[in-house]
Amino acid sequence: DTEVTQTPKHLVMGMTNKKSLKCEQHMGHRAMYWYKQKAKKPPELMFVYSYEKLSINESVPSRFSPECPNSSLLNLHLHALQPEDSALYLCASQEQNTGELFFGEGSRLTVL
Amino acid sequence: GQQLNQSPQSMFIQEGEDVSMNCTSSSIFNTWLWYKQDPGEGPVLLIALYKAGELTSNGRLTAQFGITRKDSFLNISASIPSDVGIYFCAGQLVDRDDKIIFGKGTRLHILP
């Protein structure tokens, strides 16, 4: 299994809602990342997890809250988002020895 | 499926040397991106290229979007120790606006 699976594929939420994005990989990768991609723009790094610990937070607002409950799973909890947070959220994992990146298909978020 | 061929896979150079790496594909891209991953961190965007033939510099880094839209190169001039890391190219496909394909990375080592 060489896939990174992200769910849901699409999410529409209001500014007062609480929702979560999920990312799963079973390749034994111990580094996982969240990226945000606005339309027509490159993916921008949000969070870095290494061995289930948050190592880098790229100055992301606290309304985004990541969680890594185990080595296969990475969540992104969303609360009180703004319309400008609407974007494609990409999860990636990285193979330790080769450094190869594996990206999921993304979760497309719309905040109304 | 679509893939990028990034080369070289790794490089060992002396400090002060120039570096060149490239990505090629059989697919046409409308955007080329170059990311750098410092040791222990996540890949972050270095340069984005949006037009065929475009040549863009960022300090000692220069990247070009190939005329055929199927390739891109990244040059680093007068390398310094902090250039160590993994460099990833990424292309955004013409027919799928938000789909980004990443290369497998070029690992740059600088010898003392």
Side-chain angles (χ1 to χ4, degrees), chain A residues 20-38:
Chain A
S20 297
L21 306 180
K22 182 175 155 182
C23 174
E24 202 163 356
Q25 57 86 15
H26 297 285
M27 294 177 276
H29 297 166
R30 305 308 293 272
M32 295 182 76
Y33 311 104
W34 279 113
Y35 280 82
K36 175 181 177 180
Q37 185 180 8
K38 297 284 278 182

Side-chain angles (χ1 to χ4, degrees), chain B residues 53-110:
Chain B
E54 182 180 353
L55 185 72
T56 294
S57 292
N58 178 0
R60 292 176 297 105
L61 275 59
T62 302
Q64 183 155 32
F65 191 144
I67 289 289
T68 65
R69 304 172 92 178
K70 294 181 180 181
D71 62 344
S72 177
F73 71 73
L74 176 71
N75 288 342
I76 306 172
S77 62
S79 58
I80 60 177
S82 61
D83 292 332
V84 162
I86 308 178
Y87 292 80
F88 294 94
C89 64
Q92 189 170 38
L93 291 168
V94 169
D95 59 351
R96 291 183 63 187
D97 275 337
D98 291 330
K99 177 72 174 175
I100 303 247
I101 309 287
F102 275 73
K104 295 190 176 184
T106 295
R107 203 180 282 269
L108 180 63
H109 305 267
I110 297 184

Side-chain angles (χ1 to χ4, degrees), chain A residues 7 11 13 23 25 36 38 47 50 52 57 59 63 71 74 76 79 86-87 91 95 97 99-100 106:
Chain A
T7 55
L11 177 63
M13 60 187 289
C23 174
Q25 57 86 15
K36 175 181 177 180
K38 297 284 278 182
F47 297 106
S50 179
E52 296 89 73
N57 173 345
S59 302
R63 57 186 184 267
S71 59
L74 187 64
L76 186 62
H79 175 51
S86 299
C91 171
E95 211 282 333
N97 293 328
E100 187 176 354

